[in-house]
Amino acid sequence: MIILNIKLIFVEGDVKVSATDDLVTLQTDGIVVSAGPVLVDEEAENRYMWGYYLCIENNTAKRIRLVGKDWNITDDKGNRFNDCSTGFKGELPELDPGEYFEYTSYAPLQAKNAVFYGSCKVQSDGKSRNIKVPTFSLSARNIAASKILN
C-alpha cells in the first residue's frame, strides 16, 4: 500500500471543493486504485457530508471495462451503507493501457467517524473480476479546521 499526498478536487453538481489530502493506493494485477476522503461540510445536529475520490488506472497490457462497484461505509455507530450497482453514474468506462478514470461522489453520515471499503468489478477478455478499493477512514476528529470545506 502506498500513501500519496496530492491535490484532491471534488465536483458534485455545482459544488467544487479541493484540499490536499492523503490518498491510499492499492495495486491488483496492474490495476491501480487510489482513494481518499474530503469532509465537505460539518453540519449541526451531528451530520457530516463526506466527499470521496477514486482514481482507477489501467497499467495492464489489455483494455479493461469498469462495470460496477460494491462499496461500503460503516460508521462508528454501527450503521452500514452499501452501494452495489452497475456502472459509475451511468457510465461503463473502458480504459486502454495507460488510461485512468476518476470518480467523485458523496455520502451524508450522522457520525464523525467511518470507514470506506469495497471493490470495483472489472472486465477484460470476457472475464469479470473484483478489484479491491483501498480501505480509508472518514474521521472528522482528525481533520484540521482548514480541511473542512464548506
Side-chain angles (χ1 to χ4, degrees), residues 1-4 22-36 53-60 64 71 116-120 122 129-136:
M1 198 174 313
I2 302 167
I3 297 178
L4 301 174
D22 290 336
L23 292 183
V24 181
T25 299
L26 186 63
Q27 181 171 328
T28 306
D29 298 330
I31 299 172
V32 178
V33 181
S34 301
Y53 166 87
L54 287 106
C55 180
I56 303 165
E57 302 173 56
N58 180 10
N59 292 331
T60 71
I64 63 170
W71 296 340
F116 184 105
Y117 56 99
S119 61
C120 297
V122 176
R129 59 190 167 138
N130 289 319
I131 302 296
K132 187 174 177 180
V133 171
T135 301
F136 61 91

Side-chain angles (χ1 to χ4, degrees), residues 1-149:
M1 198 174 313
I2 302 167
I3 297 178
L4 301 174
N5 193 358
I6 68 167
K7 183 90 168 173
L8 273 184
I9 296 180
F10 174 79
V11 179
E12 183 64 40
D14 294 340
V15 177
K16 180 179 180 181
V17 295
S18 62
T20 301
D21 217 61
D22 290 336
L23 292 183
V24 181
T25 299
L26 186 63
Q27 181 171 328
T28 306
D29 298 330
I31 299 172
V32 178
V33 181
S34 301
V38 175
L39 180 58
V40 177
D41 195 9
E42 184 173 358
E43 301 173 10
E45 300 177 26
N46 293 324
R47 291 194 48 87
Y48 303 88
M49 181 63 75
W50 285 98
Y52 55 91
Y53 166 87
L54 287 106
C55 180
I56 303 165
E57 302 173 56
N58 180 10
N59 292 331
T60 71
K62 299 177 181 181
R63 171 179 255 198
I64 63 170
R65 184 174 193 193
L66 308 176
V67 295
K69 56 195 171 295
D70 185 4
W71 296 340
N72 301 282
I73 299 174
T74 302
D75 69 23
D76 62 2
K77 295 179 181 178
N79 299 310
R80 182 172 173 251
F81 308 92
N82 176 259
D83 180 1
C84 183
S85 58
T86 300
F88 296 81
K89 295 183 183 176
E91 293 183 53
L92 297 173
E94 292 189 13
L95 304 177
D96 286 322
E99 292 184 333
Y100 63 91
F101 174 75
E102 295 178 301
Y103 180 83
T104 57
S105 195
Y106 63 93
L109 302 176
Q110 293 184 353
K112 284 186 179 185
N113 301 292
V115 65
F116 184 105
Y117 56 99
S119 61
C120 297
K121 184 175 256 182
V122 176
Q123 284 182 344
S124 61
D125 292 334
K127 297 178 185 175
S128 293
R129 59 190 167 138
N130 289 319
I131 302 296
K132 187 174 177 180
V133 171
T135 301
F136 61 91
S137 295
L138 306 161
S139 182
R141 291 184 189 144
N142 295 332
I143 294 182
S146 65
K147 289 191 179 180
I148 299 174
L149 306 171

